[in-house]
């Protein structure tokens, strides 16, 4: 076996691993190095992202034409939207951000590793079994058919008496455990392991977003766990437990309260890391410091706090009192304020800057352009009367996909392209990166845009078949989704190909404009990131000397 | 490259206080021609980003938003249009600023060193307050609409209970007068009346959704959710007798408070000739017939459906929502109460009559056609029509007598089918009572209809098993339970030929000496169907083998029990 | 190899605004936030079901509902758990004084308290199940009363069991000299968990056993 040549943290640690490929792989899988775990997270998320993408393609094939296209039996179709959502939310977006953060956060705060390296490894290794458990129904030909929301009574054992549903619930509890472990780890790391000179309000915004996100996970996930626990008892012992069963004195709406108490904050769990990440990208490629740093950090905290107080806006049609709905509506609308602040601050950061259009920046720009649409359709949906009309229609589908595809997914791409040179020490193929961006930007609009129209016209969600008046729009959406999916394969191929064949990356790869600690160590970083404890000094900004050399926007001592 | 950069530096004009470069725009374009490619693509992208949503968020007043046919719906539509306008404006500002930034501030030289600024408190304060103000504006406007559309009016003209089940709807109508009540699978309401909708479910969550009327409400088992509305109908409902005080103009052009929406089409002043607007899709199971059952009424039809995932056929729960003129509505109610099922009539006709009279009623060979026959089309000759069907015709070719083969309802059904289908308009319809009368007059044995069809045993067992989940706690999954609880398996009470005693226990409860607690009247609230299902399940599970109990059996026993109360 | 990687940095970094405690303590605090939210979710569900129970299936009065077992025994059990929590304070105090012998004795008392609690709870459950808890109370009452009872006390009992194992583990470490008087934060972290379990029990006890359906005087 030839010797394994790799630089930095990629290089084998033990003598055995230097010569044996299997020992090297084993070393990777058991490594407690946050950087390696981060890469494992990203690889896992990529796999699950493709899996979720395939599920969505199956959905779109069925909907491409009026009438039965792919599935003779509607029950197979009914399972797909829920499984697609589960795969994308719990196994793609959240792990992808956790992966990026695992790599970047310890370095950004000047720490050698996470606070609990073994807990970190354990949190990752819960995920693959959790995924297997969640989707175990595929092997048993028994899939949960109640959507990702799993509202009882439909999800109890009388109406969904399939074993696959029990596995699904158990899998979600495991994912919750995993993400809670990761959140505890991030909080301990960021609160306690910053290097000399790094104060809370000097943290890079990406790290800040992880603080906020971790708090969200910590406080919200257990509530979902308790709801799923109650649901499991009801499913397992139908004679004795009736928490959500009106026939036994329970309340089906209670589940919705508990569920949305988690699942609304979950939306912010999925978008706040993206907000933080995009701030880094924009300031690097605009050569300007972020505009209104403190307000950016505070607005993330405001979003998190408000995110806990708005869950019932998913339940306007369940018959809750008018006064309660008014309260939830105002809190919901308040979220638009900090979100607006962030959008305007990004624009102001670019304003007067020097913008370079590399792939990460293209994704950042695409994110701002498209996410604004998702944000504004959210304002439309916040209005109770309008929401009642649009609730559970394709308008909501369009909204959530503009938020999660144009928001979370594009920021994940921006982050992966942005830190790819740092993670691998190689440069990705720029041409295919741009092709990937344009396919994504254009075809996500083709796919999701007309769904606004369908919703306004009254096409409900989770429909196996629909009124023929929606056929043309659904056909366009389906063709758009096929191209969108193929575009993502280009991304995966580009990353894998470039890891072997790309040019070597520089330490501060992006024109010397990276201003956070990760850009001041080699690409890829060494084991333990820093050879001696780093010291962070407040950024020295040069207002009066436009001719200063690149990369000296702040001083930093290694 | 470096020369270029130097030129840039040399050309750099003095810096103004805002920190933005004041370099002339044209010069910057020339210098940055290498980025023209990106700029052009950015323009295209942003153009798309602005144009697409402008249609998505619906250009105000374009009528994209469909809740236009009820008073509340129009207010919501107006609100939507207002919010859409605001959002569109914000979107244009954001995308415009983004576009300008991309073009104006693109990197022209690798040595560009932009001026730094870390924020601007006044600017940050301004957009925070601006965003807040807009949100409050939208919020207050929404509250206005909420109170205006949701506050229950002083007078409710009619209440309809919408009961959802997997996967169909039942609508229960209660009338104040002697007409009693009515259950139908379509939602039929009079126009311009305050209708209260009470939505509930018997199994899982559903949601009633009628886009055109702006109605959506979850159907939650064990709860009644209330909504009220006032729907538009065809133009005729504004005729003076019902709405003498209403200005005709107002009905012809339904308006919102600001007059933003004018949907004149439905209300155009033209004579009403029956069904004004027809639903053209009702799901896979129910193809929309050529002739709508509401063809004979002054009405409009809207599509209704289910919006909350409820299992297998969630996507196929469509129902008709029909809004009628008040007089048509009254006629419809009377027709329904005297209802004979035309569909059943057709089945009988196709099976028994079509061979001679032809499927289209034009006659086969020497058998006479029904189309054009006075007996079939003249309302005054309806009795003779009944007589012929009951007694047959002793002529050549002869027609057999059907009096012993079909009961009153079936005879009425086939006669009504013939009169509607072949007799044409104005032929009138008959009732079961008419048939019973003629039977008596002709001297035949009475043959009243058994109106209740026996239920399918599998269905009874399915429902019964679900209901039994509530009994498991005491009686156990195997029907045996602990010592001091009477066993269901093999119980004489359960296996009795006519389970009078069992029903009595279930609906009245029973105290037993050996039982530590009190037995409560568990099944009091169950319907005949549910009780029959439960009984059937008890009698055919746990190795029991007693006959199926049908809902009408339960009904009989119940009325028996009511007459002989326990001591 | 993994151990080598893991032992890089256990304490705070050099940053001036770092919290200055061990990572483990922050980890335990954040874990307790999470755990508290789990209980909050279940308790919120309990409250919604209890105070939203329909008129035809009212919530039984806890004072009548526990039948032969009664709540006196559980009140005693609460007392035992509180005592155990106090013992845990002594463990830390003795450890800080350097008296590891005494610390171990107190820790044994703590563990013993937890075991008594579990024993009494097992006794209570056994009797309630044998006496068909649920059936007796159930005549006309909300069937979720026993359901929530078993869920809440069971979930809490699980925490106590984990705590007993955790403390036993700590005791073994002390005996083997792996935890000495210098490792006060190890004990402190275990104590945090144990006090939390105690605190949650007081909430569960109040909700499930104490709050009457008909308050006195009504």
């Amino acid at each position: 076996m030839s010797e394994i040549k790799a630089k930095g943290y990629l290089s084998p640690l033990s003598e055995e691993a230097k010569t044996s490929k299997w020992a090297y792989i084993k070393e990777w899988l058991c490594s407690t190095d946050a950087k390696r775990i981060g890469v494992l997270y990203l690889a896992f998320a990529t796999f699950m992202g493709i899996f979720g993408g395939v599920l969505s393609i199956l959905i779109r094939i069925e909907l491409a034409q009026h009438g039965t296209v792919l599935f003779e039996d509607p029950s197979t179709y009914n399972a797909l939207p829920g499984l697609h959502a589960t795969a994308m939310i719990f196994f793609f977006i959240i792990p992808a951000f956790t992966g990026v953060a695992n790599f970047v956060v310890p370095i950004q705060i000047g720490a050698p590793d996470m606070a609990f390296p073994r807990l970190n490894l354990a949190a990752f290794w819960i995920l693959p079994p959790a995924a297997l458990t969640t989707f175990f129904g595929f092997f048993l030909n028994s899939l949960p058919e109640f959507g990702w929301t799993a509202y009882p009574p439909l999800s109890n054992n009388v109406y969904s008496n399939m074993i696959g549903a029990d596995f699904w619930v158990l899998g979600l509890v495991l994912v919750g455990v995993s993400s809670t472990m990761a959140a505890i780890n991030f909080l301990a790391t960021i609160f306690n392991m910053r290097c000399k000179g790094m104060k809370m309000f000097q943290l890079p915004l990406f790290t800040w977003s992880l603080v906020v996100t971790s708090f969200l996970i910590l406080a919200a996930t257990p509530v979902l766990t308790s709801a799923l626990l109650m649901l499991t008892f009801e499913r397992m012992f139908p004679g004795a437990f009736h928490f959500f069963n009106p026939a036994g004195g329970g309340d089906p709406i209670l589940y919705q309260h508990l569920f949305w108490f988690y699942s609304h904050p979950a939306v912010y769990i999925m978008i706040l890391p993206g907000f933080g990440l995009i701030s880094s990208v924009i300031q690097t490629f605009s050569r300007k410091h972020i505009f209104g740093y403190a307000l950016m950090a505070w607005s993330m905290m405001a979003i998190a706090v408000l995110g806990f107080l708005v869950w019932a806006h998913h339940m306007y049609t369940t018959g809750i009192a008018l006064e309660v709905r008014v309260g939830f509506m105002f809190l919901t609308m308040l979220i638009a304020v900090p979100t607006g602040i962030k959008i305007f601050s990004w624009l102001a950061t670019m304003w007067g800057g020097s913008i370079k259009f590399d792939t990460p920046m293209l994704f950042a720009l695409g994110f701002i352009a498209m996410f604004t649409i998702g944000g504004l359709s959210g304002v439309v949906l916040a209005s109770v009367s309008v929401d009642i009309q649009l609730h559970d229609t394709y308008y909501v589908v369009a909204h959530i996909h503009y938020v999660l595809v144009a928001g979370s997914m594009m920021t994940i791409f921006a982050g992966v392209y942005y830190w790819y040179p740092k993670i691998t020490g190689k440069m990705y193929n720029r041409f295919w990166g741009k092709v990937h961006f344009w396919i994504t930007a254009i075809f996500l609009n083709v796919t999701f845009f007309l769904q606004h129209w369908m919703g306004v016209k009254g096409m409900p969600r989770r429909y196996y078949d629909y009124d023929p008046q929606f056929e043309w729009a659904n056909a366009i959406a389906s063709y758009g989704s096929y191209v969108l999916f193929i575009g993502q394969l280009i991304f995966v191929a580009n990353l894998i190909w470039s890891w072997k064949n790309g040019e070597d990356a520089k330490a501060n790869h992006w024109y010397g404009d990276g201003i956070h600690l990760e850009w001041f160590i080699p690409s890829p970083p060494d084991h333990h990131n820093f050879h001696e404890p780093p010291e962070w000094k407040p950024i020295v900004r040069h207002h009066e000397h436009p001719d200063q050399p690149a990369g000296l926007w702040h001083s930093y001592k290694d | 490259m470096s020369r270029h950069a130097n030129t840039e530096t040399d050309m750099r004009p003095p810096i103004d206080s805002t920190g933005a470069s004041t370099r002339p725009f044209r010069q910057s374009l020339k210098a940055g021609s290498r980025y023209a490619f990106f700029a052009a693509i950015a323009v295209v992208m942003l153009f798309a980003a602005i144009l697409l949503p402008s249609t998505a968020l619906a250009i105000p007043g374009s009528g994209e938003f469909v809740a236009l046919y009820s008073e509340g719906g129009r207010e919501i539509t107006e609100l939507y249009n207002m919010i859409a306008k605001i959002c569109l404006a914000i979107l244009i500002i954001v995308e415009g600023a983004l576009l300008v930034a991309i073009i104006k501030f693109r990197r022209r030289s690798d040595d560009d060193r932009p001026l730094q600024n870390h924020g601007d408190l006044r600017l940050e304060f301004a957009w925070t307050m601006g965003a807040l103000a807009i949100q409050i504006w939208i919020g207050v406007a929404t509250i206005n609409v909420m109170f205006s559309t949701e506050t229950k009016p002083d007078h409710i003209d009619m209440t309809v209970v919408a009961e959802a089940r997997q996967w169909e709807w039942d609508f229960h109508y209660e009338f104040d007068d002697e007409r009693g009540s009515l259950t139908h699978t379509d939602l039929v309401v009079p126009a311009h009346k305050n209708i209260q909708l009470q939505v509930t479910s018997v199994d899982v969550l559903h949601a009633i959704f009628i886009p055109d009327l702006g109605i959506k409400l979850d159907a939650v088992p064990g709860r009644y959710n209330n909504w009220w509305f006032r729907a538009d109908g065809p133009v005729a409902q504004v005729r003076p007798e019902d709405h003498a005080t209403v200005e005709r103009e107002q009905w012809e052009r339904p308006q919102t408070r600001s007059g933003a929406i004018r949907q004149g089409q439905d209300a155009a002043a033209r004579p009403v000739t029956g069904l004004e607007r027809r639903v053209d899709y009702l799901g896979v199971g129910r193809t929309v017939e050529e002739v709508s059952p509401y063809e004979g009424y002054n009405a409009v039809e809207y599509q209704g459906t289910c919006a909350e995932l409820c299992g297998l056929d969630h996507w196929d729960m469509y129902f008709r929502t029909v809004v009628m003129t008040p007089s048509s509505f009254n006629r419809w109610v009377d027709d329904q109460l005297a209802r004979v099922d035309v569909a059943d009539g057709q089945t009988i006709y196709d099976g028994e009559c079509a061979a001679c009279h032809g499927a289209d009623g034009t006659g086969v060979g020497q058998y006479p056609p029904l189309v054009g026959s006075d007996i079939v089309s003249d309302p005054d000759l309806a009795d003779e029509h009944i007589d012929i069907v009951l007694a047959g015709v002793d002529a050549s070719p002869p027609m057999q007598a059907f009096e012993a083969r079909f009961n009153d309802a079936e005879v009425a059904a086939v006669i009504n089918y013939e009169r509607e289908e072949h007799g044409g308009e104005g032929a009138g319809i008959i009732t079961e009572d008419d048939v019973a009368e003629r039977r008596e007059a002709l001297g035949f044995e009475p043959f009243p209809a058994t109106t209740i069809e026996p239920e399918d045993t599998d269905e009874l067992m399915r429902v019964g098993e679900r209901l039994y989940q509530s009994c498991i706690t005491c009686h156990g999954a195997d029907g045996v339970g602990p010592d001091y609880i009477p066993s269901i398996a093999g119980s004489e009470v359960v296996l009795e030929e006519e389970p009078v005693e069992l029903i009595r226990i279930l609906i009245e409860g029973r105290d037993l000496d050996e039982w530590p607690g009190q037995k409560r009247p568990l099944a009091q609230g169950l319907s005949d169907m549910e009780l029959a299902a439960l009984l059937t399940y008890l009698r055919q599970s746990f190795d029991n083998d007693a006959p199926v109990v049908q809902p009408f059996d339960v009904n009989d026993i119940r009325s028996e029990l009511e007459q002989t109360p326990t001591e | 190899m993994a151990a080598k990687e893991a032992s890089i940095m256990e304490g705070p970094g050099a940053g001036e605004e770092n919290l200055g405690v061990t990572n483990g303590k922050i980890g335990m605090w954040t874990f307790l936030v999470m755990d508290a939210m789990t209980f909050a979710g279940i308790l919120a569900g309990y409250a919604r079901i209890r105070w939203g129970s329909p008129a035809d299936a009212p919530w039984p009065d806890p004072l009548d509902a526990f039948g032969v077992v009664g709540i006196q025994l559980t009140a005693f059990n609460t007392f035992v758990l509180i005592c155990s929590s106090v013992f845990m304070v002594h463990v830390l105090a003795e450890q800080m004084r350097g008296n590891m012998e005494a610390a171990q004795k107190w820790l044994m008392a703590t563990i013993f308290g937890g075991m008594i609690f579990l024993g009494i709870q097992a006794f209570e459950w056994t009797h309630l199940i044998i006496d068909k808890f649920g059936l007796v109370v159930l005549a006309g009452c909300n069937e979720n009363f026993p359901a929530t009872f078993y869920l809440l006390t069971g979930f809490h009992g699980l925490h106590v069991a984990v705590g007993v194992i955790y403390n036993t583990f700590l005791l073994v470490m002390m005996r083997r000299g792996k935890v000495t008087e210098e490792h006060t934060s190890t004990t402190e972290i275990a104590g945090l968990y144990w006090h939390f379990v105690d605190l949650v029990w007081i909430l569960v006890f109040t909700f499930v056993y104490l709050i009457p359906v008909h308050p006195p005087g009504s």
Side-chain angles (χ1 to χ4, degrees), chain A residues 369 389 391 438 449 463 541 546, chain B residues 41 52 113 118 216 305-306:
Chain A
Q389 175 76 8
H391 176 75
W438 287 111
F449 178 69
Y463 262 33
R541 300 175 176 89
Chain B
I41 290 180
L52 292 177
R113 285 287 163 273
H118 321 123
K216 186 183 287 126
T305 185
C306 175

Side-chain angles (χ1 to χ4, degrees), chain C residues 80-148:
Chain C
V80 168
L81 200 62
I82 293 172
C83 286
S84 172
S85 206
V86 173
F87 298 158
M88 194 74 200
V89 177
H90 284 285
V91 176
L92 186 62
E94 293 297 339
Q95 192 184 10
M96 283 166 118
R97 280 188 214 121
N99 191 350
M100 288 310 283
E101 286 284 312
Q104 283 175 27
K105 277 177 190 154
W106 281 116
L107 189 53
M108 270 187 261
T110 311
I111 295 166
F112 189 60
M115 283 161 110
I116 290 184
F117 180 89
L118 283 177
I120 292 181
Q121 196 172 39
F123 171 82
E124 185 189 14
W125 270 43
T126 317
H127 271 263
L128 289 174
I129 290 170
I130 288 173
D131 291 342
K132 297 283 166 197
F133 182 52
L135 302 186
V136 182
V137 204
L138 260 187
C141 279
N142 197 316
E143 294 165 28
N144 276 316
F145 178 68
T148 50

Side-chain angles (χ1 to χ4, degrees), chain A residues 68-145:
Chain A
T68 297
V69 180
L70 196 60
F71 302 106
E72 288 290 327
D73 181 5
S75 70
T76 317
Y77 174 85
N78 284 345
L80 289 178
L83 294 174
H84 163 69
T86 317
M88 288 306 199
I89 292 168
F90 295 108
F91 296 104
F92 169 56
I93 293 178
I94 294 179
F97 277 129
T98 314
V100 174
N102 248 301
F103 195 95
V104 175
V105 165
I107 308 182
Q108 281 195 335
I109 63 167
D113 206 318
M114 297 282 276
F116 308 111
R118 273 171 290 204
L119 186 73
N120 200 12
L121 185 66
F124 170 75
W125 277 110
I126 289 176
L127 272 184
L132 201 64
T133 314
T134 310
F135 300 108
F136 202 66
F138 276 106
F139 303 109
L140 304 173
N141 199 14
S142 143
L143 294 168
E145 290 162 20

Side-chain angles (χ1 to χ4, degrees), chain A residues 78 239 287-289 292 317 325 354-356 369 383 388-389 391-392 438 449 453 463 467 541 546 548 550, chain B residues 35 41 52 64 95 105 107 110 112-113 116-118 142 150 211 214 216 218 303 305-307 312 473:
Chain A
N78 284 345
R287 286 193 166 159
K288 271 189 74 201
H289 288 302
T317 62
R325 279 180 283 147
S354 164
I355 303 171
K356 183 84 177 165
S383 167
I388 286 176
Q389 175 76 8
H391 176 75
D392 267 335
W438 287 111
F449 178 69
W453 175 84
Y463 262 33
D467 191 330
R541 300 175 176 89
Q548 59 178 291
Chain B
Y35 293 109
I41 290 180
L52 292 177
E64 286 287 0
E95 308 285 357
F105 300 110
R107 190 170 303 175
D110 282 347
D112 268 358
R113 285 287 163 273
Q116 300 297 316
N117 63 343
H118 321 123
T142 304
E150 295 188 28
K216 186 183 287 126
D218 284 4
Q303 193 184 59
T305 185
C306 175
L312 187 66
T473 330

Side-chain angles (χ1 to χ4, degrees), chain A residues 2 25 50 196 234 247 250 430 492:
Chain A
S2 63
I25 290 175
I50 294 173
K196 195 154 189 280
E234 198 169 318
R430 288 163 187 260
V492 178

Side-chain angles (χ1 to χ4, degrees), chain B residues 327-538:
Chain B
S327 52
S328 269
F329 179 74
N330 286 333
R331 181 154 60 87
W332 178 79
V333 173
D334 292 339
D335 289 350
Q336 292 307 311
L337 291 173
R339 183 171 161 223
V340 275
D341 201 319
V342 174
D344 282 355
Q346 180 172 16
T347 314
I348 298 170
Y349 182 88
D350 290 345
E352 301 293 333
C353 319
C356 303
H357 294 292
D360 53 357
T362 49
V364 175
Q366 42 181 323
Y367 291 98
L370 301 179
V371 179
S373 155
D374 285 346
I375 293 176
V376 176
S377 59
D378 188 343
D380 297 335
L381 297 179
D383 280 356
E384 288 187 33
H385 192 169
I386 302 172
D387 292 353
I388 291 177
V389 175
L390 286 176
V393 179
D394 192 12
S396 178
M399 172 175 155
Q400 62 168 302
F402 286 97
E403 60 93 7
R405 287 196 48 199
F406 295 117
N407 64 33
D408 292 347
E410 287 160 335
V411 172
V414 75
I415 288 177
N416 282 328
Y417 173 73
E418 289 173 359
R419 298 186 83 77
E420 284 205 357
E421 198 68 5
H422 311 132
E425 208 150 314
I429 54 169
I430 60 156
T431 65
E432 283 175 53
D433 293 343
D434 296 337
V435 181
E437 249 172 55
R438 292 313 302 161
R439 237 187 240 280
E440 209 185 339
L442 294 171
F444 294 126
E445 287 288 306
F447 191 174
T450 314
T451 44
I452 307 156
E453 293 280 309
E455 283 290 338
D456 184 38
T457 312
D458 291 343
E459 172 70 8
L460 288 171
M461 289 294 283
R462 193 179 66 80
V463 177
E465 188 179 2
R466 191 191 304 158
L467 290 166
Y468 185 71
Q469 301 303 322
S470 310
C471 319
I472 281 185
T473 330
C474 302
H475 288 287
D478 54 357
V480 179
D483 300 343
Y484 52 87
I485 287 173
S487 164
I488 295 171
S491 157
E492 280 178 26
V493 179
V494 174
L495 296 173
E496 211 179 357
E497 182 68 29
E498 199 175 48
V500 183
E501 197 54 31
L502 182 56
I503 291 181
R504 192 194 291 276
I505 293 172
L506 279 171
I507 66 183
E508 291 177 2
R510 162 148 307 186
D511 285 323
L512 291 174
D513 294 340
E514 58 272 41
W515 170 243
Q518 261 197 333
K519 175 109 177 66
R520 60 185 154 124
L522 283 157
Q524 206 168 31
L526 296 186
S527 68
D528 290 346
M529 167 67 193
E530 287 166 326
L531 199 47
L534 182 60
L535 290 172
T536 304
Y537 181 74
L538 297 181

Side-chain angles (χ1 to χ4, degrees), chain B residues 53-125:
Chain B
S54 66
T55 49
L57 297 169
I59 296 164
S62 69
E64 286 287 0
F65 206 78
V66 292
L68 291 168
Y69 302 102
S70 72
E71 291 181 20
R74 274 193 297 280
E75 283 189 53
I76 296 170
T77 305
E78 195 192 338
L79 175 70
Y80 171 82
N81 287 344
M82 187 204 88
I83 299 174
K85 260 187 228 169
I86 294 174
C87 289
L88 198 59
I90 298 173
L91 190 68
I92 290 170
I93 291 168
V94 171
E95 308 285 357
L98 188 59
L99 191 62
V100 171
I102 288 173
I103 295 170
K104 198 171 169 193
F105 300 110
R106 70 194 182 283
R107 190 170 303 175
R108 297 175 178 86
S109 148
D110 282 347
D111 294 330
D112 268 358
R113 285 287 163 273
L115 292 167
Q116 300 297 316
N117 63 343
H118 321 123
D120 182 331
L121 274 183
R122 278 172 305 173
L123 200 55
E124 288 169 41
F125 183 76

